[in-house]
């Protein structure tokens, strides 16, 4: 099914499958991009942070370098949508906490999934990037023990990601989960902190989450997931 | 989007929204049936148990009577799919526990959603039916304090429902959630227990769950869900 439905958020894999270390790519970028032109995720072998903008999938690797992914490369976990903001407002001088609170205060979407996109100039940006893992893959806690961080002041770029309702913790990251890519590709990754100097803040709520599973992946099908303590592992690694 | 995709399980509303008593119908039967010809759910005002077979939606009400729902009636929560079993086997003399265990043992689908359908003769069938509620709606625990039960021996009919992976507790009922309707409409409802004398047991795994939210319903958008203790409320009411 490759339908351009802007009311659907599409996710391949669950966040939970990263917890025991299921980092094998189970969907190609080519197929993923049929379900959205914008989004975030990680790459085969947990090899960095993915940012998808305007139909192009970029990989920020542990050295800080940014590569465009090819249609044949694959991902274990990614979330995408067709960009179509419901509301965009021009904002100045907002911290990460300000933006997160503002969206929940200004819009009635705390119980649904929504995309957040900010195009602008960030007076401060702090990211981190996960490190490529080798088989047999270690689990998420082991894999994320050391993670390079990157920092820049006054950087222009796009922040993109999602808000997920609390009920979906483990399916996704409950609350916000956003990535960043600067226009000049000098910095990107999973966003830890930022201050927006000036920019356009967009929100796009979704009527549906299409949660797609790697139904042909034997390792996923066989895994005995341990859900007790999963939320702790996720928050440790993803926040 | 009305695509006949047999790999997608479509759910309108979450089980969690029933917990605080959000029993208002937020999708018509007409629209729901565009997403599947088979399934289960409940009806506006929590008015009974729904069973959808061959594109017809039946409502089993608290008196035990069965009505066919019209396209204009609506539901707060329902799960549907297009019937296309992957495997069907002829089975004899199986208890509910036997069937549930057998499907998990014979097929590799414990980590995904799958539909279960049994057409056959049941030597024993025990169902219950929720009671219609009035506004302001009480919560799920209050609403399900008394629930009429129905019992029959040697009844021919169709059992239909779903298995949901544990990660989705609250989105759906984790584990099995099945309803029943006899061919002569003399008994139906939420299945508490059964013994299959003889029949065809079908399984249909899904690559995706499309979780649809009542994005236009102010009561849903405003609700402050209390997820602590939700699993207890759900298991008390639904098991």
């Amino acid at each position: 099914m490759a339908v351009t439905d802007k009311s659907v958020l599409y996710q391949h894999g669950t966040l939970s499958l990263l917890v025991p270390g299921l980092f094998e790519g189970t969907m190609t970028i080519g197929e993923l991009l049929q379900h959205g032109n914008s989004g975030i995720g990680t790459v085969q072998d947990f090899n960095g942070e993915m940012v998808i903008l305007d139909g192009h999938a970029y990989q920020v690797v542990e050295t800080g370098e940014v590569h465009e992914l090819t249609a044949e490369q694959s991902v274990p976990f990614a979330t995408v949508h067709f960009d179509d903001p419901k509301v965009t407002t021009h904002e100045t001088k907002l911290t990460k906490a300000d933006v997160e609170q503002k969206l929940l205060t200004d819009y009635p979407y705390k119980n649904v999934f929504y995309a957040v996109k900010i195009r602008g100039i960030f007076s401060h940006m702090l990211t981190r990037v996960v490190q490529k893992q080798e088989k047999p893959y270690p689990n998420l806690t082991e894999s994320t023990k050391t993670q390079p961080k990157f920092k820049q002041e006054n950087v222009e770029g796009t922040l993109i990601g999602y808000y997920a309702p609390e009920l979906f913790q483990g399916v996704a990251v409950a609350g916000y989960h956003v990535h960043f890519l600067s226009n000049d590709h000098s910095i990107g990754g999973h966003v830890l902190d930022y201050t927006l100097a000036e920019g356009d803040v967009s929100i796009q709520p979704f009527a549906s989450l299409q949660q797609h599973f790697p139904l042909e992946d034997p390792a996923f099908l066989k895994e005995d997931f341990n859900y007790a303590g999963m939320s702790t592992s996720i928050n440790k690694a993803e926040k």
Side-chain angles (χ1 to χ4, degrees), chain A residues 4 6 11 13 20 79 132 137 158 174 177-178 185 196 219 227:
Chain A
T4 306
K6 291 166 177 175
Q11 181 164 282
T79 316
K132 184 180 179 187
Y137 298 126
T158 304
H177 180 192
V178 299
H185 292 192
L196 176 65
Y227 291 107

Side-chain angles (χ1 to χ4, degrees), chain A residues 77-234:
Chain A
F77 177 59
T79 316
V80 298
H81 69 286
F82 289 101
D83 185 50
D84 183 30
K86 185 179 172 81
V87 185
T88 300
T89 59
H90 192 76
E91 306 291 344
T92 53
K93 290 190 182 156
L94 294 176
T95 64
K96 176 172 177 280
D98 293 339
V99 170
E100 295 183 352
Q101 190 51 55
K102 185 178 168 50
L103 294 173
L104 285 166
T105 305
D106 291 359
Y107 305 101
Y109 299 132
K110 66 179 176 183
N111 291 326
V112 300
F113 286 83
Y114 59 79
V116 182
K117 187 177 70 174
I118 308 178
R119 284 189 192 272
I121 297 164
F122 296 80
S123 53
H124 165 67
M125 176 58 67
L126 177 66
T127 66
R128 64 105 175 109
V129 175
V130 293
Q131 297 183 299
K132 184 180 179 187
Q133 304 298 314
E134 312 259 331
K135 288 182 200 172
Y137 298 126
N139 65 27
L140 184 66
T141 304
E142 280 300 311
S143 305
T144 54
K145 264 191 179 158
T146 60
Q147 299 186 67
K149 290 183 183 175
F150 301 92
K151 194 155 80 166
Q152 258 191 56
E153 314 292 311
N154 302 314
V155 56
E156 197 168 352
T158 304
L159 176 148
I160 190 158
Y162 302 99
Y163 169 87
E166 188 187 344
L167 178 59
F168 291 81
Q169 172 74 330
V171 175
V173 182
Y176 291 95
H177 180 192
V178 299
H179 287 188
F180 179 75
L181 186 63
S182 70
N183 289 355
D184 63 4
H185 292 192
S186 64
I187 180 173
H190 177 99
V191 172
L192 295 176
D193 197 24
Y194 65 87
T195 304
L196 176 65
E198 186 188 347
D200 291 322
V201 178
S202 301
I203 185 168
Q204 180 176 348
F206 301 103
S208 290
L209 168 73
Q210 183 172 353
Q211 171 60 54
H212 182 263
F213 298 89
L215 190 53
E216 309 301 327
D217 182 42
F220 168 71
L221 293 176
K222 271 197 303 223
E223 184 67 34
D224 284 316
F225 288 100
N226 169 20
Y227 291 107
M230 185 169 278
S231 194
T232 311
S233 299
I234 290 170

